Amino acid sequence: MALNKVGDPIIRVDRLYKTFPNGVNALVNFSGHVHRGEVVVIIGPSGAGKSTFLRCLNGLEEIDSGTIVIDGIPLDEKKKNRLEIRKEVGMVFQQFNLFPHMTVLDNVNLAQIRVRHKSREEATQTSMELLNKVDIADKAAAFPDQLSGGQQQRVAIARALAMMPKVMLFDEATSALDPEMIGEVLDVMKNLAREGMTMVCVTHEMGFAREVSDRVIFMEKGTIVEMGTAEHFFENPAEERTRLFLSQIL
Amino acid sequence: MNRKLKITTLDVVILTLLLALAAYVVYRLTMQLNYKWNWGILPQYFFYIDEETGRWVANILVKGLWTTIRLSFWATLLAIVFGVVTGLMRISKRLFWRLIGASYVELIRNMPPLVLVFIFYFFVSDQIMPLLGVEDFVRSRPDNVKNLLTFLFASPQQFTAFTSGAITVAVFQGAYITEIVRAGIQSIEKGQWEASYALGLTWGQQMRWVILPQAVKRVLPPLTNEFINTIKYSAIVSVISIQELTFQGMQIMASTYVTIEVWITITAIYLLICFSLSMGVRKLEVHLARSEA
């Protein structure tokens, strides 16, 4: 991916610290930017703080100190700001977390109707377009437990996109899937990346990182060990620790 | 659900023994008991022919049943409100709300319902209701409003007793529903909260559209239990002269002395309404289960 499609910083985080009650340091002096249209992939061993970082970006986890600014809105105590950020930041979870009591269509409609105050007709139109895009429109009337894991995750992506977010966060979106279903979800994510969506992905899919990411961040013990373009990262990592990690997973 | 009915020797033995026991009880009651059965006196307490108009009119048993149904209806409705509100308090992030919720539940749970009825009757009904002018308010309404209020709640002279009775049962049942609501909400996976949070729903919207619909479905069986309990506990307010089914039973017993017939009849009526209620909710459960795959 060429870096020239990348715009101004949309996510700015500065000196984030977070320690869990059990004493584990999840984030230690973590700073960085994500630019508009950029696809950032965060990799690292488990317990490195990757998911915690992602979850801090929309306020699912609280930081102990530091600042997070998303599209000019500071993520602070103000409920209004937090709500605004949650509207603009879409998130896809490892466990899909679809609403089991609603059809696929209603899952995608819900936030459009309740948060964006669209009419049901308008919302349904958008939802069907998105479900088409993730290639699952034929299951619009089905309930989540009638779908395979891969299908559920694609619905979850459509649901997050329905809010027309400026940023999409993917928290190990393929880790809970059977191997034969990983491809269909990654394809959706790749298409999204090509369309210029700003994405921050925590993943173990190195192929995906190599193919679509503008930048790869290697994290360990709550801090950035190494950061660079996919090419630099996979061909010529500078840090010994990065090389060791890559040799273990590739 | 297509289980085959298989009758074993043990089933036959147990059934025979049960039948024998029932036969023995009937035998004792009809032959040996020093008691004069008089079922014939009861039907007129359901309906009788008014001599002036020549029409069938409902008598005190039917009226009592109707009062029980009204009382249970309002008490259940109010108990759900109490239960949901304090249930939400119980899971609040703020200690203040949690303490209020916990105090309510513990206070009610560790108190005989009869005592609560008296407290309500002598304090709330006797002191607070007149202070609020409830009865005067009802009495001063135009006739059509008064009739509607009588139909929905109770006649003006019974109004205060009825409302405090309904509130008492509701306060009591609310405490149990609180715990069910709390358990139901806490049983919903964290991921449901997180996904709806990430979509930008407010707390109220999360509750209304995501958490409660799933929680209600899960707690419907224990909730049904409490609805049935509400009907059963409504009998307790007969001690404050609310003319519901049990009260009417005592009236008939006092004037006719047909004790056993009266209480068998009353039992049958309670059984009938409680059983139909649980059947109804069972249907609802099946319906809800079907709506999700």
Side-chain angles (χ1 to χ4, degrees):
Chain A
M1 283 286 122
L3 271 166
N4 57 14
K5 70 165 191 180
V6 168
D8 58 305
I10 188 166
I11 300 176
R12 283 182 294 185
V13 300
D14 195 29
R15 282 163 290 159
L16 302 186
Y17 282 88
K18 179 172 179 67
T19 307
F20 282 116
N22 60 11
V24 173
N25 292 318
L27 292 173
V28 182
N29 198 14
F30 192 103
S31 302
H33 294 173
V34 175
H35 297 268
R36 210 178 289 272
E38 194 179 19
V39 177
V40 174
V41 167
I42 305 175
I43 61 171
S46 62
K50 304 171 305 240
S51 287
T52 306
F53 169 64
L54 216 56
R55 290 161 60 82
C56 284
L57 289 180
N58 66 354
L60 268 179
E61 299 273 0
E62 298 293 329
I63 46 174
D64 294 340
S65 66
T67 54
I68 297 174
V69 180
I70 292 175
D71 203 22
I73 309 163
L75 183 75
D76 50 20
E77 303 297 297
K78 288 193 195 107
K79 263 194 171 164
K80 191 170 155 281
N81 286 349
R82 290 180 158 256
L83 186 65
E84 208 49 48
I85 287 173
R86 280 154 55 197
K87 286 182 192 171
E88 303 306 338
V89 178
M91 190 164 196
V92 177
F93 299 86
Q94 184 176 351
Q95 298 295 341
F96 333 132
N97 297 342
L98 292 181
F99 307 132
H101 59 300
M102 294 179 186
T103 61
V104 163
L105 179 63
D106 286 336
N107 263 278
V108 186
N109 272 351
L110 180 71
Q112 297 183 66
I113 295 171
R114 301 296 156 198
V115 182
R116 294 280 191 224
H117 304 294
K118 287 193 198 172
S119 71
R120 180 162 293 277
E121 291 71 36
E122 270 181 286
T124 302
Q125 198 183 345
T126 310
S127 298
M128 290 313 293
E129 280 167 23
L130 288 168
L131 289 172
N132 255 318
K133 191 165 153 179
V134 299
D135 198 22
I136 194 141
D138 54 325
K139 298 280 187 193
F143 283 92
D145 63 356
Q146 296 166 316
L147 305 182
S148 72
Q151 291 172 322
Q152 288 193 48
Q153 193 61 300
R154 283 185 281 143
V155 173
I157 294 173
R159 178 176 70 175
L161 289 175
M163 283 295 289
M164 301 294 159
K166 293 179 177 137
V167 178
M168 283 284 282
L169 309 175
F170 291 84
D171 190 3
E172 304 203 21
T174 57
S175 298
L177 295 173
D178 290 336
E180 74 269 23
M181 292 170 187
I182 292 174
E184 63 189 58
V185 173
L186 285 181
D187 284 344
V188 169
M189 290 168 67
K190 284 175 196 168
N191 283 335
L192 212 54
R194 291 196 187 98
E195 284 168 18
M197 174 63 78
T198 311
M199 293 163 65
V200 185
C201 314
V202 170
T203 182
H204 299 297
E205 296 298 325
M206 293 306 137
F208 172 79
R210 202 189 285 250
E211 200 178 324
V212 296
S213 75
D214 299 300
R215 197 147 45 110
V216 179
I217 295 174
F218 175 59
M219 241 184 117
E220 192 175 39
K221 296 194 180 113
T223 50
I224 298 173
V225 175
E226 187 166 1
M227 178 163 74
T229 61
E231 199 173 274
H232 155 84
F233 204 85
F234 291 104
E235 306 304 330
N236 196 14
E239 298 290 326
E240 184 52 40
R241 186 66 195 88
T242 314
R243 262 178 249 154
L244 185 67
F245 177 76
L246 288 174
S247 72
Q248 280 164 347
I249 58 163
L250 286 177
Chain B
M1 280 304 237
N2 224 337
R3 261 189 298 160
K4 241 188 171 170
L5 200 65
K6 213 171 105 190
I7 298 168
T8 63
T9 329
L10 188 64
D11 294 331
V12 175
V13 171
I14 290 173
L15 272 175
T16 319
L17 282 176
L18 279 175
L19 280 175
L21 185 69
Y24 178 70
V25 170
V26 171
Y27 169 74
R28 286 294 300 223
L29 282 178
T30 50
M31 300 299 171
Q32 305 264 299
L33 195 73
N34 185 16
Y35 186 84
K36 214 164 151 285
W37 290 93
N38 186 7
W39 284 100
I41 202 170
L42 279 181
Q44 59 178 309
Y45 288 105
F46 286 94
F47 292 100
Y48 66 98
I49 298 176
D50 188 42
E51 283 177 3
E52 279 174 36
T53 57
R55 286 218 198 111
W56 287 95
V57 186
N59 205 349
I60 56 174
L61 273 182
V62 172
K63 283 183 183 158
L65 171 62
W66 178 231
T67 305
T68 291
I69 290 172
R70 274 177 310 180
L71 192 69
S72 311
F73 175 79
W74 293 114
T76 305
L77 215 62
L78 212 55
I80 293 174
V81 174
F82 289 157
V84 170
V85 170
T86 44
L88 293 178
M89 282 181 181
R90 292 276 275 161
I91 54 159
S92 168
K93 274 189 209 145
R94 293 191 32 197
L95 182 66
F96 176 72
W97 295 124
R98 285 207 308 276
L99 278 178
I100 290 187
S103 313
Y104 167 64
V105 171
E106 291 310 326
L107 186 70
I108 300 298
R109 237 188 350 202
N110 296 300
M111 187 176 185
L114 191 58
V115 175
L116 189 74
V117 172
F118 286 136
I119 289 178
F120 258 79
Y121 187 59
F122 291 117
F123 295 107
V124 180
S125 174
D126 242 31
Q127 306 293 329
I128 296 174
M129 291 292 202
L131 203 69
L132 295 172
V134 175
E135 207 172 319
D136 293 337
F137 175 81
V138 176
R139 281 185 195 280
S140 62
R141 290 306 95 191
D143 272 352
N144 55 344
V145 177
K146 224 186 277 183
N147 286 340
L148 184 70
L149 286 175
T150 304
F151 176 75
L152 291 175
F153 299 93
S155 58
Q157 59 270 22
Q158 281 268 309
F159 202 83
T160 343
F162 179 88
T163 37
S164 60
I167 292 172
T168 313
V169 178
V171 165
F172 189 72
Q173 283 303 115
Y176 292 92
I177 293 179
T178 297
E179 286 304 271
I180 294 173
V181 169
R182 182 186 59 78
I185 292 173
Q186 285 177 338
S187 78
I188 303 300
E189 296 73 17
K190 211 166 128 243
Q192 296 290 307
W193 284 101
E194 294 186 347
S196 48
Y197 173 91
L199 284 170
L201 272 70
T202 61
W203 182 85
Q205 289 172 327
Q206 287 180 289
M207 271 292 172
R208 168 68 187 83
W209 302 107
V210 179
I211 306 302
L212 283 180
Q214 298 182 61
V216 165
K217 198 188 288 191
R218 280 187 201 178
V219 300
L220 210 50
L223 220 46
T224 315
N225 243 339
E226 293 311 324
F227 294 159
I228 289 170
N229 275 342
T230 311
I231 297 178
K232 294 195 290 188
Y233 277 122
S234 73
I236 217 165
V237 299
S238 58
V239 298
I240 54 170
S241 305
I242 295 172
Q243 294 164 5
E244 45 67 72
L245 196 54
T246 304
F247 181 89
Q248 306 291 36
M250 290 196 281
Q251 297 287 88
I252 300 173
M253 185 181 69
S255 58
T256 63
Y257 300 107
V258 289
T259 321
I260 301 182
E261 294 89 328
V262 168
W263 294 114
I264 289 178
T265 310
I266 301 282
T267 306
I269 298 174
Y270 275 116
L271 198 67
L272 196 73
I273 47 177
C274 292
F275 189 67
S276 351
L277 177 69
S278 60
M279 285 296 109
V281 179
R282 178 84 202 107
K283 271 226 168 90
L284 184 68
E285 254 173 73
V286 172
H287 174 79
L288 283 177
R290 206 180 293 137
S291 76
E292 182 189 314

